[in-house]
Amino acid sequence: MTQDPRDSDLLGDPAEDQALPSTPALDEETPFATMMSSFDEAAHTVGVEPAEYQILRKCDREIAFSVPVRLDDGTMDVLDGFRVQHNAGLGPFIGPLRIASDIKIVELRALAAWMTWKCAVLNVPFGGAAGGLRFDAREHSSGELERAVRRYTANLLTDVGPERDVFMRDVGSDAQTMAWVLDTVSSHARVTENAAVTGKPIEIGGTQGHQDAVAQGLRVILRLAVDRFDLPHKGMKVIIQGAGTVGGNLARILSEDGYRVCGISDVHGAFYNPEGLDVNAIMDWRRERGSLLDCPGDFERLTNRELLTRPCEVLIPCATANAVHSKVAAEVQCKLIVEGAHGPVSSRADKVLKERGISVVPDILANGGGVVMSYFEWVQNRMGYSWIMPVIEKRLRRFMAEGWNSVMKTQQEYDVTMRQAASVLAVKRVSAADELRGIYA
Amino acid sequence: MSEGTKNQPANVSRDELNPFHSMAHQFGLAADLLELDEGTRDVLRQPDRELTVSMPVMMDDGTIEVFTGYRVQHNFSRGPCKGGIRFAPDVNLDEVRALAAWMTWKCSVVDIPFGGGKGGVICDPRNLSQGELERLTRRYTASIMDILGPDRDVPAPDMNTNEQTMAWIMDTYSMHVRRTTTAVVTGKPIAIGGSKGRREATGRGVMLVCREAMKKLGRSPEDTRVVVQGCGNVGGVGALLLHREGYKVVSVSDMYGALYNPDGLDMPAVMDHLRGSGRLEGYSSADYIENSEGQLELPCELLIPAATENQITSKNADRIQAELVVEGANGPTTPRGQEILDSRGVMVVPDILANAGGVTVSYFEWVQDRMGYFWTEEIVNSRLEQVMVRAFHSVADMAEKHNVNLRTGAYLVAIDRVARVYRMRGVFA
C-alpha cells in the first residue's frame, strides 16, 4: 500500500491550512494519478473493459496557450492559460474556471476528471473539464483582470459554448468573471450565448438558488441519510466544520429544519454546545464582522480539530481537504460523516472509519448541489425561460435523491462502501455512454 | 411491425395490397374535400428533396464494398423533417418516398412541429458484422450530414435499426459539428439523451385512442372484449395497458399463433410468459390457436391489428365482428376492406392517428434534448395523453363535419394543416 502523503503530520492541523472548499484532496506530485487510483478499483469491480477504461484514464483534450495582456502602465504581460477536457461521452464538457497564481495542469486534469464523475453520479448530461488562468488578481486592477479573462476566452473560442464546454465559477472567478466570458463568447458568435457559462448574475441569465445550492443539496442528502441510518428526525445533533458559503448556509438551513447544530467553526476556531448553538446569532456576527472571532455566546471554544471529535450524530466537514485524517478518524464520535467539502476525509481515514463502522457519504454525491444548479442554469438558458424558486427546489431534491438512490443500489449490488459505490456508478455510467457512442472514425 | 411480405393474404389483387396506393387514394379524396388548388396538390404530392448517396465501406476482410443509401424529405413546411432510417436488402427510392410522405401526414395529425422524412440503406444487416454495420452507419451519416440536424432533419429507428444505430449517428454528427448534438436523432439510449417512456409509446398511444373511441361509442371498458393481433412493442404494450384500464383482452397473437380466452386473459401473466419463452404457445390459462388467420374474426367489440399491413381485406372484412378497429400497425386495412367495414358501420381509427404515439414521444425526446432537461416517465406519459386525446378529437370532429370516416377525417386534418402553413409561408424566392 502506498502511503498517502496527505496524512502526514508535517501538514500540522489541516483545518488551519485554509484551502478553499472547492479544492479537492490531491497528491502534490501526481494529483491526477492519485485521484484516478480510487477509480481503478471501481473499474475492476464493475468489470469495465480495460480498453474502455484506457479512455477514461486520459483526458480527451488539453489546451495550453499564452494570454498576452496590456497592463495599465502600458507594458505587456504574458500569462499562461489552460483548459483540460476529460471526457465528453455523456455530453458537453462543464467545469470550473480557476484564476490563481499557482495553477498546475496536473491539478486541472484531476479536477476535470472529478467533474466527469460528479456529473455521472448526479446524472446531469455533462462530461468534466477544468480551466485555469495563471494570474494573481490581488496584484492587478479590475481592468487588467477583465482584459486577461477576455483574452483567455478569445483563445478558447473554438472550444467554449453551450454544447461544447461550459464554464463554472471557482477559486478566483465570480459572477462578474462569468459575465465577461459570456460577453466575449456572444460578441464573437454574434448571438447571445448565455448558456456558455454558469454562475452568472441573475440579470443576464443566472439562476435563482445558486448562492446556497451546495448547502441545499446537502440538506436533501442529510434527510435521506437520516432515514437510511435510522437517526432521530428531531433534535439530531450535527457538527459542521466551516461557516462559509457551504457550512454557514447549511447551519442556517439545518437549524431551521429542527436539527440541533452543536458545532460550527471557521479558520479562527470552533464553537461547541451539545444542547445546540444559536446559529442565527453566530451567523449574524459573522456577516457583520467577516469572521467568528470574538463572537459571544453560550458555548465551548475549541480548535477545529477538537470540534471534529466531539460527540454528535452527523459530522459534516465543509471546510478543507483532509480535515478528517486518520488520527481524527480514530477519535470521531459520530455515527455518520457527510462530506460537504471536496475530499475532507483522507483515504487512510476512510479505512479507519470503515473498521469503526462509521459510514461516509462521499463528496461526489453529497456536495453535488452546485453542479446540479449549474446544470439547471444551462437548461433555463437553452429554453430562454426561468424557473421560479419552488420549481428549482423540487428539481434539486429530485436530482439529489436520484443520485442517492442510485449510489445505495450500487452499494448493495457490489457490497462496498458508499464512496466506492459512487465511483463504481460513475465509471459505469461514463463507460456505458462511451461504449454506445463507439470510437469515431 | 414491418415484416415485409410475410403473412400477406392470398387471393387478393396486388393493387389492393399496395399501401402506398391507398395513401395516394386517401390524399386525393381529402384534397378534393378540401378543394385544394392544383398547385398546392402538386407541392404536397412531391418530396421537397431526395438524396441518393453511394458509400464505400471497408469490410472486415479488407475489401471495399459500395452501398447505396437514400434520404427523402417530403415536406418541411411545418418544421424539420422527421422519420426513420431502415436497413434492408429491398429498400428502394419509391418506398422511401412514400414512407416520407406518410410521416408528413402522421406528424401533422398529432400536430407536432415536424415534416416527414425517411431514409434507407440497401444492405442485408444479417450478413454484416457489428463493426461493418457501425462503419456503414457512420459513413451514411457523414454522407447525408448536410441535410441533417436538429432544425433540418431528425432520423429515428426503423426496420433493422435500433438504439445503437442512433447512438452512432449522434456521435458521428456531434464529432463533425464539434459539439454535442443529441437532438439530431431520436430513439437514442437514455444514457445519451433518449426519453423515458419511448419504448412503450406507440402501444400507449393505441390504448389512449381506443379509450377515446370507446367513450364515443358509449361503451365501458368492462363490456369491451378486445382482440389484438401482435404482441410486440405495439400490440403487447397496448394489450397490457388496456387490461390495466379494465378492458377484457380475450386474444393476442404472435407470428405462430394466437391465445384465446373468452373470459379475458391475465395480460401481465401472458407478457411474463412471452418474455420467458419467446412465444405465446404454452401459456396455460387460454386456448392456443395454431394458425391464427381466423383470429381477426373472433367475437369482440374492439379489434387491434398491430402486426403487419393488409390484414383486413375484401376477403375477410365482412366477417369482422368488432364495432371498433384501431390500426396499431401501418396499413392493416386495405381500401376495399375499409369500404366493407364502412358499409357495416364499423368504426376504424386509422394508422396515422392510432400509432402516432411513437413519433410523438420522439418529438418529446427532441424537445428534451434541446432543453437538455429530461422529464420523468409520468410527465412523458401525461403529455402523450394530451397529444393523443386532442388529436383523436380533432380527427373525429373533422370527420363529423364532412360526414366521412375517421381515415378520411385524419387525412383532412393532416393535409389541411400542411396546406395552410404552406400558404402562410408562401413560395420562397
Side-chain angles (χ1 to χ4, degrees), chain A residues 148-189:
Chain A
V149 168
R150 285 188 185 273
R151 178 58 193 248
Y152 172 90
T153 308
N155 284 3
L156 280 174
L157 274 179
T158 48
D159 303 282
V160 187
E163 290 91 23
R164 294 190 168 123
D165 191 344
V166 179
F167 288 5
M168 291 168 73
R169 260 149 63 168
D170 194 63
V171 178
S173 58
D174 58 11
Q176 177 61 68
T177 319
M178 293 300 121
W180 290 329
V181 173
L182 177 164
D183 186 69
T184 308
V185 172
S186 301
S187 299
H188 276 275

Side-chain angles (χ1 to χ4, degrees), chain A residues 60 87-94 125-127 159 161-166 378 382 437, chain B residues 150 170-171 173-184 188 191-193 369-370 374:
Chain A
D60 278 2
N87 182 291
L90 287 167
F93 299 104
I94 192 169
F126 293 121
D159 303 282
E163 290 91 23
R164 294 190 168 123
D165 191 344
V166 179
W378 177 83
R382 286 163 71 90
R437 293 182 61 157
Chain B
M170 173 269 183
D171 187 67
Y173 187 88
S174 297
M175 298 303 270
H176 271 277
V177 299
R178 307 277 188 274
R179 64 178 89 102
T180 307
T181 314
T182 47
V184 70
K188 295 180 295 296
I192 51 171
D369 288 337
R370 289 165 73 92
F374 295 87

Side-chain angles (χ1 to χ4, degrees), chain A residues 7-168:
Chain A
D7 267 3
S8 162
D9 269 341
L10 294 173
L11 292 173
D13 184 352
E16 302 300 327
D17 196 352
Q18 188 73 5
L20 283 134
S22 54
T23 311
L26 301 174
D27 179 321
E28 282 297 307
E29 297 306 313
T30 55
F32 184 71
T34 307
M35 202 270 319
M36 290 302 287
S37 69
S38 66
F39 288 90
D40 286 347
E41 207 183 317
H44 183 74
T45 309
V46 287
V48 173
E49 288 273 313
E52 166 55 24
Y53 193 49
Q54 286 283 317
I55 298 173
L56 300 177
R57 296 228 49 165
K58 282 192 174 153
C59 294
D60 278 2
R61 193 191 291 155
E62 300 182 359
I63 309 148
F65 49 94
S66 60
V67 182
V69 179
R70 184 73 64 193
L71 300 178
D72 293 343
D73 64 6
T75 61
M76 193 177 76
D77 201 353
V78 182
L79 312 171
D80 293 308
F82 309 95
R83 187 78 185 169
V84 177
Q85 301 174 326
H86 176 250
N87 182 291
L90 287 167
F93 299 104
I94 192 169
L97 166 58
R98 181 169 285 195
I99 301 175
S101 52
D102 58 349
I103 296 214
K104 298 190 196 79
I105 195 155
V106 283
E107 224 171 76
L108 296 177
R109 268 179 213 146
L111 263 178
W114 204 296
M115 288 302 299
T116 301
W117 308 131
K118 200 177 227 182
C119 292
V121 166
L122 291 156
N123 213 9
V124 297
F126 293 121
L133 174 61
R134 211 177 272 157
F135 184 77
D136 189 348
R138 285 167 307 185
E139 307 271 303
H140 292 274
S141 71
S142 167
E144 288 168 345
L145 175 64
E146 175 173 352
R147 292 196 289 282
V149 168
R150 285 188 185 273
R151 178 58 193 248
Y152 172 90
T153 308
N155 284 3
L156 280 174
L157 274 179
T158 48
D159 303 282
V160 187
E163 290 91 23
R164 294 190 168 123
D165 191 344
V166 179
F167 288 5
M168 291 168 73

Side-chain angles (χ1 to χ4, degrees), chain A residues 14 235 238 290 294 316 357 403 411 425:
Chain A
V238 179
D294 299 330
I316 312 177
Q411 190 197 10
L425 179 66

Side-chain angles (χ1 to χ4, degrees), chain A residues 89-92 125 163-164 375-376 378-379 382-383 387 395 398-399 433 435-441, chain B residues 134 138 164 167-168 170-172 174-180 189 191-192 369-374 376:
Chain A
L90 287 167
E163 290 91 23
R164 294 190 168 123
Y375 164 57
F376 289 173
W378 177 83
V379 171
R382 286 163 71 90
M383 288 196 292
W387 300 337
R395 292 183 176 168
R398 172 188 154 194
F399 273 80
E435 202 176 316
L436 281 166
R437 293 182 61 157
I439 297 170
Y440 174 70
Chain B
E134 174 171 353
R138 289 190 185 275
Q164 178 62 73
W168 290 328
M170 173 269 183
D171 187 67
T172 307
S174 297
M175 298 303 270
H176 271 277
V177 299
R178 307 277 188 274
R179 64 178 89 102
T180 307
I192 51 171
D369 288 337
R370 289 165 73 92
M371 287 197 291
Y373 188 78
F374 295 87
T376 58

